[in-house]
Each structure stands twice: as C-alpha cells, then as structure tokens.
Amino acid sequence: MTTETYIRQIDTEAALSTKDLAVYYGEKQAFSRGTISFPRNQISALIGPSGCGKSTFLRSLNRMNDDIARVEGQIMYRNLDINNDKINIYELRKHIGMVFQHPNPFYKSIRENITYALKYNGIRDKQVLEQKVEESLKAVALWDEVKDSLDKNAKALSGGQQQRLCIARSIAMQPDILLLDEPTSGLDPISTRKVEATLQELKQNYTIIIVTHNMQQASRSSDYTAFFNMGRIIEFDKTPNIFTTPKIKLTEDYVSGNFG
C-alpha cells in the first residue's frame, strides 16, 4: 500500500474541514488519517474504487454514522468541532444536508415533500410555505415541470425528477453544505446532466461535496477532487490537476484506467 499522499491546502475559506478523522466498525478501521479542508461555494468530488471509504467519510460529515460506527478525530464547522457529544445532531443537519444514492421522496405530494420539514420546524404561514416550495423547485430547475401538479404524489415522478426533488427538499431548509452520495448513479444520461446543471447553479449559494463513481462527472462538474483508496485520502487537488497532472502515481493509475 502506498504511503505517499498529497493534500492541497486551499487558499480560500474552508466551509468544513477534518483533522485525523478515523472511522471504525467494531474493531475494523474503515477509514483513517483524514485531514482535509473543503472550500466554500465550490463542488468537491470524492472518487475512488468501491469500498475505499468515500461514503463512510461523507456520512461522517453530518454524523450519519453515529449509530453504526465509532468516529474519531475532528470535524470543524464554523469553528466548532461537530464530532462531539454536545452537538445537537438535528440542528447540525439543518446546516449540513444530505442527498442519498437512490431518490427517497416521502410518499406524499410534491408540495408536502418540500414543506414537511419546514412545518416540523415551526413555519406555518401558508404564503411563506408556498414561496419556499416555488423557490426550492426553481433552484433545482424542476418548477416548470411540476408547477401544475404540486399535489401529485412525488413517487409518480421520474427517477431524475425525484432526485432533483430530494435536493430541493434539502435546500428548503437553507443548509450551508450539501452532501451527495452518488446522486446520479441510477439515472439516465439526460437526467444525470440535469442534476449536474442543478449543482452548478447551487454552488453559488452552497458548498457541495459529492461522492461519485463517474469519472467524467467528477472531471466536468467539480472544482476540487479527492482520490480515496483503501480507507485513506491519497490525493486532493484542483480537479484539472487530478485528471491531468496528479502528484501521486496511484492517482494517475486510477484516473487513467490502469488501476487494479
């Protein structure tokens, strides 16, 4: 296993950073030595072979691993180490939202998918709720497709529409950071491009960290890329550097298809 690593120090404000992050499932260490800073209002892609720790790492960033793993090290957000017992997990997830691999809209109307969490958090004004629905759906380029069927069950939407709805549902709470775990893996190329276009628009207001197995997606959609292998971050740099002039031979082998 290579001991070489290259982690670029970003020259802009960090939205989130980790220091010596390690994740254990029982006695098995699934991820180790994770020290990295993600730049604000940029898209950072996490790439690497299956089982290399990308999703494990991503899920740690908003404490989704709490019930299934032990997470050590620091996760710094707004000058707070959010990897401690005093953090209110539910409040944290308002700031760091997550969208999963498979679209998981609620078995409710399109409108209710957006308003459910807002109502739960005390927003009752109908005008405010309707405005949030429109704003969130417009942000993911879904408004024109569904504005006349907001009371339709979300499960009736296509897979790509469902995934964009799930992103809209996340941003309705106005998080600071969006975590996406292979959000386009089950989508056709047209739906994939629509989601990618949505992310490009969203990065004006959000910091986005995305796990993807799609190398073309990482190269065309992200600003920074981290290459993971065997539970470690091997290299992190601006995306053009990762795909054209990587510092580490293992990264070069992976992105050129000579890996394994």
Side-chain angles (χ1 to χ4, degrees):
M1 183 177 76
T2 183
T3 56
E4 278 192 297
T5 60
Y6 175 78
I7 310 297
R8 183 186 185 96
Q9 300 301 306
I10 63 173
D11 50 14
T12 57
E13 181 188 0
L16 185 78
S17 61
T18 64
K19 183 177 180 182
D20 298 327
L21 192 72
V23 183
Y24 297 83
Y25 295 110
E27 295 303 310
K28 180 186 176 184
Q29 187 173 49
F31 184 83
S32 65
R33 284 190 274 174
T35 300
I36 189 171
S37 294
F38 295 102
R40 184 172 297 285
N41 295 117
Q42 301 279 279
I43 299 176
S44 297
L46 313 184
I47 64 171
S50 296
C52 67
K54 305 183 299 293
S55 292
T56 292
F57 175 83
L58 187 79
R59 291 170 62 89
S60 298
L61 301 182
N62 75 339
R63 304 282 296 270
M64 292 293 289
N65 281 331
D66 277 18
D67 295 330
I68 57 174
R70 183 173 87 257
V71 180
E72 298 180 351
Q74 293 183 330
I75 305 169
M76 300 302 297
Y77 172 68
R78 293 185 176 178
N79 297 317
L80 288 174
D81 178 7
I82 60 175
N83 190 33
N84 73 71
D85 294 337
K86 295 178 182 177
I87 292 293
N88 182 318
I89 304 298
Y90 302 103
E91 285 297 318
L92 170 67
R93 289 176 187 159
K94 292 180 188 177
H95 300 281
I96 306 177
M98 188 156 190
V99 176
F100 297 94
Q101 179 175 357
H102 301 291
N104 61 340
F106 302 141
Y107 198 77
K108 296 175 179 291
S109 71
I110 296 167
R111 177 185 279 107
E112 289 174 300
N113 265 269
I114 303 295
T115 60
Y116 182 83
L118 297 168
K119 289 178 180 177
Y120 182 82
N121 283 278
I123 299 175
R124 300 292 176 186
D125 186 303
K126 188 173 181 180
Q127 188 174 348
V128 171
L129 291 170
E130 289 302 303
Q131 184 178 346
K132 284 285 187 183
V133 169
E134 183 173 347
E135 286 175 355
S136 301
L137 292 173
K138 280 182 174 177
V140 300
L142 193 56
W143 173 252
D144 287 341
E145 296 172 36
V146 303
K147 63 183 179 183
D148 297 322
S149 53
L150 294 175
D151 293 316
K152 181 179 177 181
N153 193 299
K155 295 288 187 180
L157 296 172
S158 71
Q161 288 174 323
Q162 286 186 28
Q163 193 62 293
R164 282 184 286 151
L165 176 62
C166 290
I167 296 172
R169 188 176 66 192
S170 263
I171 65 174
M173 293 299 297
Q174 293 186 295
D176 190 24
I177 298 170
L178 273 178
L179 311 176
L180 299 103
D181 193 358
E182 294 190 65
T184 64
S185 65
L187 303 183
D188 63 78
I190 294 174
S191 296
T192 294
R193 287 302 183 99
K194 285 184 178 180
V195 171
E196 289 175 3
T198 293
L199 298 184
Q200 292 299 320
E201 289 296 319
L202 290 178
K203 78 174 186 180
Q204 298 176 47
N205 297 306
Y206 305 93
T207 299
I208 297 169
I209 306 172
I210 178 173
V211 166
T212 179
H213 274 113
N214 186 326
M215 304 283 277
Q216 290 76 26
Q217 181 173 76
S219 65
R220 67 179 172 242
S221 298
S222 67
D223 303 289
Y224 285 77
T225 297
F227 169 56
F228 284 57
N229 189 52
M230 298 183 70
R232 295 175 60 211
I233 306 171
I234 303 300
E235 186 163 355
F236 176 68
D237 203 343
K238 291 184 176 180
T239 294
N241 296 340
I242 291 288
F243 284 94
T244 58
T245 55
K247 300 285 197 300
I248 307 297
K249 179 67 164 57
L250 197 64
T251 309
E252 182 181 356
D253 289 344
Y254 185 76
V255 300
S256 64
N258 296 320
F259 187 83

